[in-house]
Amino acid sequence: MKIDPSTLKITDMRFAEIDGAPKRCTLVKLYTNQGIVGYGEVRDASSATYAAMLKSRIIGENPCNVEKVFRRIKQFGGDSRQAGGVCAIEVACWDIAGKVWGVPVWQLLGGKFRDKIRCYCDTDSEGHGSDMGKALKARMAQGFTFLKMDLGIELLMNVPGALSAPLGFIETMKEYKQVFKTPHGSINPSAMRGAAYDLFNTAHPFTGIHLTEVGLDYLEQYMADVRAEVGYEVPIAIDHLGHIPLEDCIKLARRLEKYNLAWMEDAVPWQMTQQWVQLHNATTVPLGTGEDIYLKEGFKPLLESGALAVIHPDILTAGGILETKKIGDMAEEYGAQMNIHMAESPIACLAAVHVAAATRNFMSLELHSVDVPWWGDLVIPALKYDGGFIEVPNRPGLGIEALNEDLIKEKLHPEFPEAWGDTSCWDKEWSNDRQWS
C-alpha cells in the first residue's frame, strides 16, 4: 500500500499493561487511516488514563506533524508520571513519522553522533559493600563500562544507632517496606493508601530523618569496600540516598568525595534549586537530577544555577523524544553532561537510544531490566545490549518491526488482562482547553 503522508490521520489509540519488566509498563499503539501503527509507552508505574484522556484531542491529526500534536497536548503533562500520556503519544508520533518517510528517528533529529549507546544498569545487592562490589564486577564482566548503585538509608534500617528520627518513624517505614522496595518494581496500589501514601509522599526536608555518625561511618565504609572490589578506574554513580535533609546530604557527600563518584543523584527534591546550589557549594561530588522533570522549562533554573554536573531526564517524563533532545542541547550550553533514566520496556529504551545518538553531550543510558531475561524479546527484532552497548538501529522509526504479541499476552498485568482493548469511551471526551481569555 502506498502511503500518502499529507493525508495521514490518527484514528485510534489502545493499550496493553504488562508487569515484571521489572515494573508495570503501559504500552501504546497509535493507529492511522493508512495502516501505519506507531508504538509508544506511558512512564513506568503510571496510568494509561494520562494518555487515554488525550485521545479525543489527537484523533484526526496528522501524526507526522509531531510538534503540532505535542503542543496541542503538552499542557496536560506534569512532573514525573503525570507526563506519561503526553510523552507516550509524542514517541508514537515519531515512530509513525519515521516509518512513513522511511528513516530512523535519529535522522529526523538531525543525524547521530555515535553508532552505539553506552549503557549502565541499576544494580541491587543484599549484604555489605564487598557484596555490592562483587555484583558490580559481574556487570563489568558482562561488558558494562559504567556503573551505578544505591547508597542510602535503606542500608541502615537494621544498623543500631545509624539513623535518628521521631520515635516510631523508622519502625513505620519498615512496616511499609513493601511499598518502597518491591521485588519487580511495581508498587502495590493497595499498599499505597492512607498512612503509607503520606509517608511515601513526604519530601526530604520534612521527614525528620537524620544520619548519625554511626550511619555516616557505615555508608562510607560500604563505599570503600565497593571501590576495593572494582577499583577506581570505572565510573560509579550513586542513587536512592533516602529522604534526608540537605545538611545530611552535605555530610554524606563530603565523606564520599575521595571515592571518585560519577554523580550523586536526586539528593534533594529537584524543585528546590537553592538547596542544590548549597549542596554544590559544599562538596566536590558531581550532582545530578532530572528523571521527574517535565519540559525544558523545568530544567532551566537548575542549569542556570550551575549546581548540576549531570542532567538525568526520562524520555517518558521530560516531554518525549524531541523535548529531551532540546533539554540535552540546553544542558550542553551550561556545561552539563546528559545521561538518560530508563526503567521501562524496549519501546522506551529505543526512544532513548535515538535521542542519545543525536545528542552530543550524552554519556550513558540506564538499563533497569538486565536481570529480566525476556525483556528484550518484547519487540521484534529483539533488543540486545551485548557488551554493555546498544547498536543504534537504522530501520525506520524507532526500529521496531512488530511487538511480540504472544509474550505481551503472557506478561499482561493481572488487573489489566486484555491487550489492546477498545477505548472508544474516550473518543468524545472534550473540554475547552484554552488557557487564556
Side-chain angles (χ1 to χ4, degrees):
M1 175 181 178
K2 183 174 174 56
I3 301 297
D4 179 6
S6 66
T7 61
L8 197 67
K9 295 185 184 300
I10 298 170
T11 57
D12 201 0
M13 178 168 56
R14 299 194 178 199
F15 310 101
E17 307 253 14
I18 62 171
D19 198 23
K23 305 182 182 229
R24 179 171 61 82
C25 299
T26 303
L27 312 183
V28 176
K29 285 184 180 179
L30 209 58
Y31 298 83
T32 67
N33 61 338
Q34 297 180 42
I36 299 289
V37 177
Y39 303 127
E41 183 172 355
V42 180
R43 172 82 190 264
D44 64 279
S46 184
S47 169
T49 301
Y50 287 122
M53 64 175 280
L54 304 176
K55 183 181 178 184
S56 63
R57 295 169 170 90
I58 63 171
I59 293 294
E61 289 296 314
N62 188 329
C64 292
N65 297 326
V66 185
E67 184 80 343
K68 180 184 177 184
V69 173
F70 174 68
R71 286 173 182 250
R72 173 166 289 191
I73 62 176
K74 78 172 186 176
Q75 65 175 289
F76 301 102
D79 304 331
S80 189
R81 273 75 184 169
Q82 295 175 38
V86 172
C87 300
I89 291 167
E90 198 266 5
V91 167
C93 284
W94 277 115
D95 188 34
I96 291 171
K99 289 172 177 175
V100 167
W101 294 104
V103 295
V105 169
W106 58 258
Q107 187 66 75
L108 296 171
L109 297 177
K112 58 182 175 177
F113 288 95
R114 52 194 63 85
D115 295 320
K116 60 182 182 178
I117 303 305
R118 183 189 313 278
C119 300
Y120 73 85
C121 45
D122 206 48
T123 301
D124 298 321
S125 172
E126 299 290 337
H128 300 286
S130 58
D131 299 303
M132 174 59 80
K134 290 181 174 64
L136 292 175
K137 284 188 75 173
R139 298 297 196 203
M140 294 167 68
Q142 290 176 283
F144 289 94
T145 60
F146 206 103
L147 304 174
K148 187 176 174 185
M149 55 177 262
D150 293 347
L151 185 77
I153 63 173
E154 274 289 328
L155 297 170
L156 304 177
M157 288 296 176
N158 297 308
V159 179
L163 295 172
S164 169
L167 293 178
F169 192 82
I170 300 300
E171 286 68 27
T172 302
M173 288 186 68
K174 291 180 183 178
E175 180 182 346
Y176 295 121
K177 190 174 181 181
Q178 75 275 11
V179 174
F180 297 91
K181 192 174 184 181
T182 52
H184 301 293
S186 294
I187 295 173
N188 180 358
S190 65
M192 275 296 292
R193 295 186 172 93
Y197 181 91
D198 295 335
L199 183 68
F200 191 72
N201 288 277
T202 300
H204 304 52
F206 316 124
T207 63
I209 301 173
H210 289 279
L211 297 169
T212 68
E213 289 299 310
V214 171
L216 289 165
D217 288 344
Y218 187 97
L219 294 178
E220 181 179 355
Q221 186 60 53
Y222 190 99
M223 193 70 232
D225 291 341
V226 169
R227 278 297 189 195
E229 289 287 339
V230 304
Y232 280 79
E233 292 79 11
V234 63
I236 301 178
I238 63 168
D239 193 8
H240 293 294
L241 278 66
H243 292 180
I244 55 177
L246 170 66
E247 296 79 7
D248 293 64
C249 293
I250 291 173
K251 290 179 184 178
L252 179 59
R254 287 173 171 169
R255 291 283 198 107
L256 299 176
E257 286 176 348
K258 63 176 73 73
Y259 300 107
N260 198 39
L261 299 180
W263 70 81
M264 175 187 278
E265 186 173 326
D266 294 335
V268 294
W270 66 266
Q271 300 93 332
M272 299 179 179
T273 303
Q274 189 54 41
Q275 290 204 6
W276 282 101
V277 172
Q278 290 176 260
L279 181 56
H280 168 73
N281 290 339
T283 181
T284 60
V285 171
L287 305 177
T289 192
E291 69 183 71
D292 296 315
I293 302 178
Y294 182 52
L295 303 180
K296 62 183 185 300
E297 295 91 327
F299 284 85
K300 192 171 184 180
L302 282 164
L303 289 168
E304 288 180 332
S305 78
L308 297 185
V310 166
I311 61 163
H312 197 234
D314 190 301
I315 302 289
L316 301 186
T317 284
I321 286 173
L322 181 57
E323 190 74 4
T324 306
K325 160 72 170 158
K326 292 178 180 179
I327 290 164
D329 290 344
M330 180 174 65
E332 183 180 14
E333 296 177 8
Y334 290 95
Q337 179 190 105
M338 183 170 78
N339 296 267
I340 297 180
H341 178 268
M342 200 288 300
E344 296 102 8
S345 87
I347 295 175
C349 184
L350 282 165
V353 163
H354 287 272
V355 175
T359 309
R360 183 164 65 173
N361 57 326
F362 168 81
M363 172 58 70
S364 61
L365 166 65
E366 180 173 13
L367 288 179
H368 216 291
S369 305
V370 173
D371 299 318
V372 181
W374 48 266
W375 178 80
D377 295 325
L378 286 165
V379 296
I380 301 170
L383 179 58
K384 301 184 184 301
Y385 39 87
D386 296 330
F389 290 83
I390 294 176
E391 295 287 336
V392 178
N394 290 316
R395 295 177 298 278
L398 294 177
I400 301 170
E401 294 177 5
L403 300 183
N404 186 337
E405 301 291 358
D406 290 338
L407 183 57
I408 288 171
K409 288 179 181 178
E410 180 185 333
K411 301 300 180 181
L412 285 173
H413 193 289
E415 294 183 13
F416 305 94
E418 183 182 8
W420 320 120
D422 179 72
T423 58
S424 58
C425 60
W426 291 97
D427 287 3
K428 296 182 180 180
E429 198 275 343
W430 183 88
S431 74
N432 184 349
D433 296 336
R434 190 173 69 183
Q435 295 178 293
W436 40 268
S437 295

